[in-house]
Amino acid sequence: IAAGEVVERPASVVKELVENCIDAGAKKIDISIENGGITSIRISDDGAGMSREDLTRCILPHATSKICSAKDLESISSLGFRGEALASIAAVSTMHITSCNGEDSYKLSAKFGTITDIAPCGRARGTTCEVLGLFENTPARLKFLKKPKQEQAEITSAVISLIFSRPDISFTYSADGESIFNSGGDLYEAIYAVYGKEIADQLIYHERETDGFVIKGYLGKPGFSKHNRNYQTAIINGRVVANSTISIAASQAYGGLLMKRCYPVYVIFIKMPESDIDVNVHPNKKEVRFKDVNRVFSAVYRFFESALTLEKTHLDLSAENEEK
């Protein structure tokens, strides 16, 4: 839980900072990067903001306002909870955080983990976090970053997952002054904004409650697929996760409907008891472990199977009506 392995590359910085915005109740989040996030990352929200006291503590290791006791770790509902993200990011960059909690607004500046200034400033309710010169004090880590365009692609992938996880939030995302995404509305509109009309029109909506799980979202029509798993997103209890059990269950449900080495497309939400999932597997909190893997596999398989069966029935009826 206290492992400081948050900052692997610019994309992990964006992910952690945006998740903080979501935890703060933001309805509008602006993301802008320069040079693949290596030169600059700026993320602004209209969330709850921080008091001066919390602002001075937020970059300290293990400082968190999201859990109050060890028992809270058994039922984590927030995306961040370890108090490591801001501390790890601040340790390898120049950081400026401007925040207003509706009463007072302050700007904190820090360089490589040390606070250099904190002073009153003007800002509407919310928080803006700027990360400059990532890994300047750790040249070995800077050396192993990919080219800016590749790092930008990693950030874009992370932003896509975040947009899908909270389609109700208005996201704007730009890179080197160029607008990439502008989303907000419902899940279909989020998919349309990210993947475009061609893919969005090939998806069907389905929801199913089974064995204590509630699963809903969009999945590809029978026969529609991609040659990689990049178009698969699973969100469990509001958290985007990477888990082979879900992907395998989906592929098996499609069975012979897809060609070999082709994979289904989906963006699904899974709601399950917090006690049935462990998010403490890895510091990035993307990998998860299930209490009962077979139960999860069965629920996901049945979801896809029922959706595809309904779609096939619909297509058969449509074909029959056309013949008549």
Side-chain angles (χ1 to χ4, degrees):
I1 293 170
E5 299 179 26
V6 174
V7 190
E8 298 170 348
R9 54 187 354 100
S12 59
V13 173
V14 172
K15 172 183 176 291
E16 295 291 341
L17 293 180
V18 173
E19 286 183 347
N20 280 346
C21 299
I22 294 172
D23 283 341
K27 294 300 178 186
K28 183 175 177 12
I29 301 174
D30 298 320
I31 306 162
S32 63
I33 63 169
E34 292 181 17
N35 196 34
I38 300 167
T39 300
S40 169
I41 295 171
R42 184 180 187 275
I43 297 176
S44 182
D45 70 48
D46 61 352
M50 289 181 280
S51 65
R52 186 184 190 282
E53 184 180 21
D54 283 348
L55 188 60
T56 57
R57 291 176 175 174
C58 71
I59 65 168
L60 298 176
H62 320 304
T64 180
S65 60
K66 298 171 186 177
I67 60 173
C68 298
S69 69
K71 188 173 178 57
D72 290 343
L73 292 172
E74 297 173 11
S75 57
I76 297 165
S77 58
S78 60
L79 298 173
F81 59 88
R82 300 183 311 119
E84 278 289 284
L86 282 177
S88 298
I89 296 166
V92 291
S93 69
T94 297
M95 180 178 276
H96 301 290
I97 305 175
T98 306
S99 191
C100 174
N101 62 359
E103 297 178 2
D104 303 310
S105 57
Y106 287 87
K107 180 177 181 178
L108 175 144
S109 297
K111 191 173 182 67
F112 307 143
T114 301
I115 296 175
T116 56
D117 185 48
I118 181 165
C121 68
R123 192 201 190 283
R125 188 183 184 93
T127 300
T128 298
C129 189
E130 294 179 275
V131 178
L132 309 173
L134 190 63
F135 298 143
E136 273 187 356
N137 62 332
T138 53
R141 295 172 77 178
L142 185 62
K143 177 183 176 182
F144 283 98
L145 288 179
K146 298 175 183 177
K147 292 180 179 179
K149 283 298 180 185
Q150 291 174 290
E151 292 296 342
Q152 180 181 320
E154 294 280 347
I155 292 173
T156 301
S157 178
V159 172
I160 288 172
S161 294
L162 292 160
I163 289 173
F164 287 161
S165 71
R166 290 300 303 269
D168 58 310
I169 294 176
S170 173
F171 283 92
T172 58
Y173 167 51
S174 62
D176 298 320
E178 179 185 354
S179 177
I180 309 295
F181 296 133
N182 193 336
S183 73
D186 58 20
L187 182 56
Y188 179 82
E189 290 173 335
I191 294 172
Y192 191 102
V194 171
Y195 290 155
K197 184 178 187 298
E198 185 178 347
I199 291 179
D201 286 348
Q202 292 296 321
L203 303 181
I204 54 176
Y205 181 81
H206 186 60
E207 56 183 271
R208 177 186 172 95
E209 184 173 353
T210 178
D211 198 22
F213 293 81
V214 177
I215 307 178
K216 61 183 179 179
Y218 286 89
L219 62 150
K221 295 177 180 179
F224 179 69
S225 63
K226 290 291 182 179
H227 292 290
N228 55 55
R229 293 189 176 90
N230 293 342
Y231 294 83
Q232 298 182 349
T233 304
I235 301 113
I236 301 181
N237 296 351
R239 188 188 305 276
V240 177
V241 304
N243 187 272
S244 60
T245 297
I246 296 169
S247 180
I248 293 170
S251 293
Q252 289 194 14
Y254 275 83
L257 297 174
L258 303 180
M259 296 176 66
K260 288 185 178 179
R261 291 183 292 279
C262 287
Y263 304 93
V265 175
Y266 59 79
V267 180
I268 60 171
F269 288 78
I270 303 174
K271 181 67 177 176
M272 66 170 66
E274 298 286 356
S275 57
D276 286 353
I277 182 173
D278 180 9
V279 297
N280 292 323
V281 178
H282 190 277
N284 66 21
K285 303 184 292 293
K286 191 171 183 180
E287 297 175 30
V288 296
R289 189 171 290 138
F290 300 120
K291 186 177 180 180
D292 188 341
V293 175
N294 292 332
R295 185 169 161 234
V296 174
F297 182 95
S298 176
V300 173
Y301 181 89
R302 289 176 184 175
F303 167 81
F304 280 94
E305 182 185 46
S306 63
L308 294 169
T309 300
L310 285 172
E311 180 64 12
K312 186 177 184 302
T313 301
H314 173 72
L315 292 173
D316 289 344
L317 287 172
S318 297
E320 185 179 327
N321 290 333
E322 284 183 9
E323 287 179 5
K324 289 179 180 179

